[in-house]
Amino acid sequence: MEDGYQNRTAFIKGAKDIAKEVKRQASKKVGRGMDRVNDEYSRRSYSRFEEDDDDDYPMQGSQDGGYYRGDSQAANDDEGGHSDSTEGHDEDDEIYEGEYQGIPRAESGKGSLAGGPGSVRAGGQQFTDIGVSEAERRKDQEELAQQYETILQECGHGKFQWSLYFVLGLALMADGVEIFVVGFVLPSAEKDMCLSEPNKSMLGLIVYLGMMVGAFLWGGLADRIGRRQSLLISLSINSVFSFFSSFVQGYSTFLFCRLLSGVGIGGSIPIVFSYYSEFLAQEKRGEHLSWLCMFWMIGGIYASAMAWAIIPHYGWSFQMGSAYQFHSWRVFVLVCAFPSVAAIAALSAMPESPRFYLENGKHDEGWMILKQVHDTNMRAKGYPERVFSVTTIKTVKQMDELVDTGTDTPVWQRYKLKIMSLSQQAYGVAYLNFLACFSPEYKRTTFMLMAVWFTMSFSYYGLTVWFPDMIKYIQKQEYESRTKVFSKERVEHVTFNFTLENQVHRQGHYFNDKFLNLKMKSMVFEDSVFEECYFEDITSTNTFFRNCTFIASLFYNTDLFKYRFVNSKLVNSTFLHNKEGCMLDFSDDNNAYMIYFVSFLGTLAVLPGNIVSALLMDKIGRLRMLAGSSVISCISCFFLMFGNSESGMIALLCLFGGISIASWNALDVLTVELYPSDKRTTAFGFLNALCKLAAVLGISIFQSFVGITKAVPILFAAGALAAGSFLATKLPETRGQVLQ
């Protein structure tokens, strides 16, 4: 009894010291906690006196009851620790919420939170030590990876994975659509919003800048708040601002909406691939991630088809005065938001990744989702009687720091503090995960992948934008070769009421002529005189008057603005009711159809590459697929020297796209498998952001050589692909490995 008394005295003293260090603890809880300390200690002291048990009393519950303690509790009792009951917490009051749902207890992670050396409890408040050993976490992650692979084997591959495949495919399709939207609407939007050349370039690049920010942002958050939740938020932002961008009239607001739309959709690629991979067993992963890539192609086909069907249909337009105009290209922008909206609706019915839950210590949630996967697949295969045999799953110890807000704190302030704490944790975890990608363990892999992503993106996006620009340049040269030139003509008392196109008039003299209800396209008048002429209801495109003189002429309801008169003189001439804003060019239907048709063919051409990569990804490996496709793409670049015609450039565009897609699929699979689950979307998001930066650089550099030389873009693209294929061979092969 003397030993028991000394132990009791020492224990009470320690409990008081702990109580002093806890901020804002409620006095009632302290008193109640100490009463329970005394009661429990009296019970244990009496038990020790009666049984003479060596002072070691681990509390082990029955296995069938589901509530049990690990070895850490026993070790803690050896050091004079205390049980849950001595901490103001009745054992009878502890209700395991999964008991009534048949969910088994987690295998690990609970013991250390129940009075182990990593935590301190006082007055019902729990404070977890943030410094949990990284070695222990890594060991837990390795054990979880092996067990998780075994569980996926038991769940099988079936209806659930295919349902998720189509849902995530819609999100990937939305990303593909976003890439093409601005390119398709730019020819119409530049005239509708009177864009200058610098503004057109910025509008073309803004979506890539937004996607670069979005990939990094949502990739980091998905490792903290979950794949499904992050994807829902990012797609919602994309949908909202895509909708707004179809209605706004000003250039700056349209640019802002497209930027935020790009920020939203930027999270789709890193989250979608990471999300889907965590439902796939190792023998299915490479193949089905490659099949998933086909939805990016489907997005491009959808955008091309909708542009083909909508934009040239100018009868769909309406306007409210001259201040608000809603042309057909805005209808196209609105329709392009449909895949994102459909993805949100479908994703709402899908669960979170169970791997994410287990990595974050949420055993019950992860177990229930895996059971759902198993039961869904077994029912679809005709085996509804098969039972999910897994009872416990390894969970990873957490490093979160709980915040005590105190019982006396107002409710609204407690919620505010909780939200601030969660946001700080999310930022902190994302930042630490980003730094972990450059830790000694992953530094070499990260730098290698950075180089491969950058070189492939630089060459691919640079060439895919350079191809259409070269086609336009060839078309322009052919068009200019048909230009008709008229010199020193004198025209008097003539009425022009038909379209004037692709003509140059030099040193002409026009007296008392009427230009009524006509369109002028690519018309140039140089050193000419217009005397007593009448212009009414004129719509012009690429039309200019250089060094001309207008005497006693009248302009009524025209779009001949001052910038169209270059070094010209207006003598006693009047402008009445000028058209406001810029007018769309409705006479270039054939050219518009050609742009959409070329994009449609270029996107469809990747279908064979997608099929081949999906069938061979798990057979020949990721590295061979990546390096081999890059080498063949590099060789195909040199054939571009022979693309001197429009049809030749289209054929080479299809060839390059069909070959290079296999390397993109392999790179996506490899990136997913090279990083652990708690850093996967962070790393993927960072690399995808780097990809978009390389795309901006590639597009800017390659476009500057259009019409100047072919050699420089070809050498840039071939050199980048050669460097990327060489560095790809230095990466580790991941075929046949469990998902880290």
Side-chain angles (χ1 to χ4, degrees):
M1 291 296 293
E2 184 177 353
D3 292 339
Y5 180 79
Q6 292 176 353
N7 289 337
R8 177 184 176 185
T9 303
F11 180 79
I12 294 175
K13 182 179 179 181
K16 289 182 178 180
D17 292 337
I18 293 173
K20 291 179 181 179
E21 296 175 359
V22 178
K23 296 179 181 180
R24 298 189 305 274
Q25 63 178 346
S27 59
K28 291 183 180 180
K29 288 190 175 182
V30 173
R32 185 173 57 196
M34 292 307 298
D35 289 341
R36 289 175 176 174
V37 167
N38 295 334
D39 293 343
E40 175 64 15
Y41 183 77
S42 299
R43 183 180 64 80
R44 286 198 175 193
S45 298
Y46 183 76
S47 176
R48 292 180 184 182
F49 178 76
E50 291 290 328
E51 298 179 13
D52 194 18
D53 188 49
D54 241 2
D55 294 337
D56 185 14
Y57 299 92
M59 296 183 63
Q60 297 289 345
S62 62
Q63 296 296 325
D64 59 346
Y67 177 60
Y68 59 94
R69 304 286 174 85
D71 294 338
S72 60
Q73 182 65 41
N76 197 40
D77 288 343
D78 287 340
E79 297 174 2
H82 46 281
S83 69
D84 284 345
S85 301
T86 65
E87 299 165 299
H89 182 74
D90 282 343
E91 186 174 3
D92 295 338
D93 292 339
E94 180 166 341
I95 298 175
Y96 172 49
E97 59 181 327
E99 280 183 330
Y100 301 104
Q101 303 176 20
I103 305 173
R105 269 285 183 174
E107 185 174 297
S108 67
K110 305 293 185 185
S112 62
L113 297 179
S119 66
V120 177
R121 288 187 182 179
Q125 300 291 336
Q126 174 179 317
F127 297 86
T128 307
D129 184 11
I130 198 171
V132 177
S133 172
E134 183 64 27
E136 293 181 4
R137 283 179 52 83
R138 185 169 303 176
K139 181 180 178 182
D140 289 346
Q141 289 172 337
E142 292 174 356
E143 294 178 10
L144 173 59
Q146 296 295 332
Q147 187 186 11
Y148 193 79
E149 180 63 34
T150 304
I151 296 173
L152 288 179
Q153 297 286 347
E154 179 179 344
C155 292
H157 188 92
K159 180 181 178 180
F160 184 90
Q161 281 84 357
W162 283 111
S163 300
L164 186 62
Y165 169 80
F166 286 105
V167 171
L168 296 180
L170 288 172
L172 201 59
M173 178 180 171
D175 181 270
V177 170
E178 191 75 16
I179 292 292
F180 289 92
V181 167
V182 173
F184 287 156
V185 304
L186 190 56
S188 300
E190 66 178 323
K191 298 179 178 65
D192 194 13
M193 294 188 287
C194 306
L195 301 185
S196 62
E197 287 298 326
N199 288 342
K200 286 192 294 184
S201 300
M202 177 56 67
L203 185 58
L205 295 177
I206 196 67
V207 64
Y208 291 99
L209 296 175
M211 294 173 77
M212 177 179 68
V213 175
F216 187 78
L217 172 66
W218 302 116
L221 284 179
D223 277 331
R224 175 58 190 172
I225 66 175
R227 282 79 163 107
R228 177 179 173 273
Q229 187 174 352
S230 297
L231 188 57
L232 281 172
I233 297 173
S234 65
L235 290 175
S236 299
I237 292 175
N238 171 253
S239 301
V240 169
F241 286 98
S242 293
F243 177 81
F244 286 155
S245 67
S246 67
F247 292 96
V248 297
Q249 295 293 299
Y251 166 73
S252 58
T253 52
F254 181 78
L255 195 71
F256 178 74
C257 287
R258 296 315 303 179
L259 172 66
L260 292 185
S261 175
V263 170
I265 203 61
S268 63
I269 288 183
I271 298 176
V272 162
F273 283 102
S274 300
Y275 190 3
Y276 194 47
S277 68
E278 292 169 357
F279 286 92
L280 299 173
Q282 63 183 22
E283 70 273 8
K284 298 285 186 179
R285 194 181 308 125
E287 176 186 352
H288 286 270
L289 286 176
S290 299
W291 288 126
L292 186 63
C293 295
M294 292 188 66
F295 276 93
W296 197 91
M297 173 199 72
I298 295 173
I301 293 175
Y302 173 83
S304 302
M306 291 298 102
W308 198 343
I310 295 174
I311 294 180
H313 288 197
Y314 311 114
W316 295 12
S317 306
F318 70 88
Q319 61 184 33
M320 299 171 62
S322 59
Y324 187 86
Q325 300 177 354
F326 193 89
H327 294 296
S328 55
W329 68 267
R330 296 182 181 275
V331 179
F332 167 72
V333 172
L334 190 63
V335 170
C336 284
F338 288 172
S340 184
V341 174
I344 294 171
L347 189 61
S348 300
M350 303 307 294
E352 178 59 84
S353 165
R355 184 64 178 268
F356 170 78
Y357 277 141
L358 296 172
E359 290 281 349
N360 286 273
K362 298 181 179 180
H363 172 272
D364 301 351
E365 293 88 340
W367 186 90
M368 289 188 67
I369 293 172
L370 288 170
K371 185 178 184 299
Q372 177 186 351
V373 175
H374 174 274
D375 294 346
T376 301
N377 290 340
M378 291 304 108
R379 282 195 300 268
K381 293 178 180 180
Y383 304 107
E385 71 280 359
R386 290 191 180 178
V387 179
F388 188 48
S389 62
V390 178
T391 57
T392 56
I393 308 174
K394 187 72 177 180
T395 55
V396 181
K397 292 183 177 65
Q398 300 306 295
M399 301 177 67
D400 296 340
E401 184 176 12
L402 302 182
V403 178
D404 175 26
T405 58
T407 55
D408 296 332
T409 307
V411 175
W412 67 269
Q413 192 171 352
R414 268 184 276 173
Y415 278 116
K416 179 181 177 182
L417 291 173
K418 185 175 181 180
I419 293 172
M420 292 176 60
S421 172
L422 291 176
S423 62
Q424 290 173 358
Q425 288 182 25
Y427 171 78
V429 171
Y431 181 68
L432 291 176
N433 281 347
F434 174 69
L435 294 181
C437 295
F438 295 91
S439 64
E441 182 179 2
Y442 299 106
K443 181 169 64 175
R444 182 178 181 276
T445 298
T446 300
F447 281 119
M448 287 291 182
L449 282 174
M450 286 174 61
V452 175
W453 274 91
F454 187 90
T455 54
M456 284 188 56
S457 180
F458 178 82
S459 58
Y460 177 81
Y461 286 101
L463 282 180
T464 51
V465 173
W466 181 74
F467 274 117
D469 286 348
M470 281 298 300
I471 293 173
K472 291 178 185 177
Y473 176 74
I474 294 173
Q475 290 175 339
K476 182 180 178 182
Q477 283 186 319
E478 183 182 357
Y479 182 78
E480 290 177 350
S481 67
R482 301 195 303 267
T483 301
K484 296 180 181 180
V485 179
F486 301 88
S487 298
K488 298 181 179 180
E489 60 181 353
R490 184 177 181 86
V491 182
E492 298 180 357
H493 310 292
V494 174
T495 298
F496 296 89
N497 56 5
F498 48 85
T499 299
L500 299 177
E501 179 179 358
N502 199 18
Q503 299 176 7
V504 175
H505 296 261
R506 296 192 178 104
Q507 299 178 359
H509 191 277
Y510 304 88
F511 178 76
N512 197 23
D513 295 321
K514 295 182 179 180
F515 299 82
L516 304 177
N517 191 26
L518 60 81
K519 298 175 182 177
M520 293 183 176
K521 179 182 177 183
S522 299
M523 292 291 296
V524 177
F525 295 88
E526 295 179 349
D527 303 313
S528 299
V529 177
F530 295 84
E531 186 175 354
E532 297 183 12
C533 291
Y534 180 70
F535 298 83
E536 180 180 351
D537 197 15
I538 306 296
T539 301
S540 61
T541 301
N542 196 27
T543 296
F544 298 95
F545 299 86
R546 296 191 178 100
N547 299 318
C548 295
T549 301
F550 294 83
I551 302 173
S553 296
L554 176 64
F555 298 84
Y556 181 84
N557 192 30
T558 71
D559 65 352
L560 299 177
F561 305 119
K562 289 185 178 180
Y563 73 89
R564 298 193 184 277
F565 300 90
V566 182
N567 296 327
S568 297
K569 296 180 180 179
L570 298 171
V571 180
N572 295 328
S573 297
T574 306
F575 290 84
L576 297 176
H577 300 288
N578 273 0
K579 295 181 179 180
E580 296 183 10
C582 299
M583 299 296 111
L584 288 176
D585 179 13
F586 296 153
S587 61
D588 199 15
D589 293 350
N590 292 331
N591 188 41
Y593 279 119
M594 178 57 67
I595 294 173
Y596 311 143
F597 181 66
V598 169
S599 299
F600 176 83
L601 287 180
T603 307
L604 188 62
V606 307
L607 179 61
N610 266 321
I611 295 174
V612 171
S613 64
L615 296 177
L616 298 181
M617 188 70 71
D618 287 320
K619 292 181 173 61
I620 67 175
R622 289 73 163 126
L623 292 186
R624 290 181 181 179
M625 180 69 69
L626 174 58
S629 176
S630 298
V631 169
I632 299 175
S633 300
C634 175
I635 296 173
S636 69
C637 287
F638 291 99
F639 290 99
L640 299 178
M641 296 297 297
F642 305 101
N644 296 320
S645 65
E646 185 177 327
S647 58
M649 293 300 295
I650 294 174
L652 291 171
L653 169 64
C654 295
L655 175 65
F656 179 77
I659 294 173
S660 60
I661 192 63
S663 58
W664 279 110
N665 294 354
L667 185 59
D668 289 333
V669 176
L670 199 63
T671 304
V672 163
E673 296 177 334
L674 281 175
Y675 290 95
S677 294
D678 62 336
K679 302 175 182 65
R680 183 169 295 123
T681 56
T682 301
F684 206 136
F686 164 67
L687 293 170
N688 199 253
L690 183 68
C691 163
K692 297 305 184 289
L693 175 62
V696 171
L697 294 176
I699 291 171
S700 303
I701 293 174
F702 281 47
Q703 280 184 328
S704 63
F705 291 99
V706 173
I708 299 176
T709 178
K710 291 181 181 178
V712 175
I714 290 172
L715 290 176
F716 275 169
L721 288 170
S725 60
F726 172 75
L727 293 173
T729 60
K730 305 300 181 182
L731 290 167
E733 178 60 76
T734 58
R735 179 179 55 158
Q737 296 181 7
V738 299
L739 198 63
Q740 294 185 52

